[in-house]
Amino acid sequence: MAGTILFTAANSSLAIPAIDHLLTKYPTYTAVLTVRNPATTDPNTQRLRATIAKHPAAKTFIHALDLADLSAVRTFADTIVDQISQGSLPPLASIVCNAYYWNLTGGMEMTVDGYEKSFQAIHIAHAALVLKLLAHFGPDGGRVVLFSSDAHWPGKNGLEKYPPKIPDDLELLAKPGPDPSPVDNFGRGFQRYAVAKLAVVMWMYALNRRLEKHPTLPPTLTAVAINPGNLADSRALRTNTPSMLAFMARFVIQPLRPLLRYFMDPTMRTSTEAGIDVVELATGAASPGERGYFTLLKKDASAPESLDEAVQEGLWRETEKWTGMEGVLK
């Protein structure tokens, strides 16, 4: 099945080998790739372009997209809709919501939209993108691939200092109050990241309920949330992180990855391994027709808190408000 696969943060550690795998194994797909900085001076975008250059027959398009600006997300989505409607792009086959943001060295940041930056980049902006584009999948359906993490489950990630929890007032997810004293940028920054990953899983369940009963969308259009594993070579460990974590990533975690994987964390692996799995899910080659939460390529249980259907529905309604997409998918 040919179609368009859209990948956010396409110049990330996971995405570059994923796109190489996609263009190698599934060359009939068209790849729409978003990056925050498309300039040739950006080293990560340079690596993405070099990867694409290995596939001269590939159909790829690179777009600038800043998920910290919802107006940019809407404009980009409108562009994709126009191109599909005009026939210059095939209908969508998958949306891969790969982008993230965290800051483990500084205080809480807000976007131009007035939302906490990690929560917007990880959840709100991707939800807006998905809701804008769902009607433009092909008749054969496809898959929305959302990204979670073991961090969404309290106690499972070694970087956790404060467990993720959905507040009773859901508005506090997007517009939290000040961090409590004493200031702990690492602990609270990671907690914000983990809470956003928990929200992703909960929203995925609510999305699937709507997809399954929708009268016009293809019944084979599914959503999954994947924990891609703890990636020893990810740039995330060196971006907005304390120097000690960056040092540990380079000189301890990466060299000892096989041992860590065997004795401590079976999800510890490389970005290439994770990227291949993501593409297999996105194309439907892995677990065709399945919905729900995955750890690597295995259908799995998500955290108990994520299974609260009443909170899932509350989060759905709030997400509609945050994205300005009320009633798009009932």
Side-chain angles (χ1 to χ4, degrees):
M1 178 185 71
T4 296
I5 294 183
L6 191 162
F7 225 113
T8 65
N11 59 358
S12 71
S13 300
L14 179 151
I16 290 176
I19 291 157
D20 190 34
H21 180 67
L22 174 68
L23 300 181
T24 300
K25 189 173 179 181
Y26 304 104
T28 58
Y29 285 96
T30 298
V32 171
L33 311 172
T34 78
V35 296
R36 192 166 59 249
N37 181 4
T40 55
T41 54
D42 183 278
N44 302 316
T45 303
Q46 281 183 349
R47 283 192 282 273
L48 173 62
R49 293 184 187 277
T51 297
I52 293 170
K54 298 185 328 189
H55 307 274
K59 301 177 288 292
T60 62
F61 303 90
I62 296 176
H63 293 260
L65 180 60
D66 182 1
L67 296 177
D69 182 349
L70 289 178
S71 67
V73 174
R74 296 185 190 103
T75 298
F76 166 74
D78 287 341
T79 298
I80 299 303
V81 168
D82 289 345
Q83 291 177 348
I84 292 172
S85 300
Q86 295 164 9
S88 55
L89 275 180
L92 287 163
S94 184
I95 302 172
V96 182
C97 301
N98 169 59
Y100 89 105
Y101 181 80
W102 69 9
N103 188 344
L104 308 187
T105 59
M108 182 168 55
E109 300 172 77
M110 308 300 285
T111 69
V112 294
D113 302 291
Y115 301 135
E116 194 277 312
K117 191 172 183 179
S118 291
F119 193 74
Q120 176 163 329
I122 292 169
H123 174 58
I124 297 175
H126 282 130
L129 190 62
V130 169
L131 291 173
K132 289 277 283 184
L133 294 177
L134 274 176
H136 301 279
F137 276 76
D140 294 324
R143 181 167 270 164
V144 175
V145 181
L146 303 166
F147 275 57
S148 188
S149 163
D150 65 356
H152 92 281
W153 191 313
K156 283 205 170 186
N157 190 288
L159 298 182
E160 178 190 301
K161 296 179 73 175
Y162 311 103
K165 182 171 177 56
I166 300 296
D168 293 335
D169 181 358
L170 296 177
E171 182 68 10
L172 292 174
L173 290 168
K175 297 181 178 181
D179 287 340
S181 296
V183 174
D184 182 356
N185 289 331
F186 183 94
R188 296 302 175 185
F190 189 81
Q191 184 184 41
R192 284 188 283 272
Y193 167 83
V195 166
K197 293 297 188 179
L198 174 57
V200 164
V201 176
M202 301 185 80
W203 190 77
M204 176 271 299
Y205 288 123
L207 173 60
N208 272 320
R209 281 195 293 274
R210 287 158 174 80
L211 293 177
E212 286 183 281
K213 67 182 183 181
H214 198 278
T216 59
L217 291 174
T220 50
L221 179 53
T222 66
V224 300
I226 181 174
N227 164 20
N230 289 313
L231 310 183
D233 57 348
S234 173
R235 291 199 312 273
L237 296 173
R238 307 188 301 274
T239 304
N240 294 337
T241 59
S243 56
M244 179 55 70
L245 180 56
F247 177 88
M248 292 284 290
R250 182 175 179 183
F251 295 107
V252 179
I253 297 174
Q254 287 191 55
L256 298 181
R257 176 181 52 80
L259 291 175
L260 294 172
R261 182 174 184 167
Y262 186 80
F263 289 107
M264 296 180 64
D265 181 0
T267 75
M268 181 74 70
R269 59 181 182 163
T270 67
S271 298
T272 296
E273 291 173 295
I276 289 171
D277 282 358
V278 166
V279 167
E280 295 299 305
L281 275 176
T283 59
S287 299
E290 288 282 353
R291 308 168 188 268
Y293 182 78
F294 283 74
T295 297
L296 314 188
L297 282 184
K298 179 185 177 183
K299 187 83 175 287
D300 205 356
S302 58
E305 185 178 3
S306 71
L307 303 177
D308 187 323
E309 189 169 324
V311 180
Q312 293 168 5
E313 289 300 308
L315 177 62
W316 180 271
R317 292 189 293 272
E318 290 301 312
T319 300
E320 287 185 313
K321 295 176 186 176
W322 295 326
T323 59
M325 302 286 287
E326 291 95 337
V328 171
L329 190 64
K330 295 182 179 180

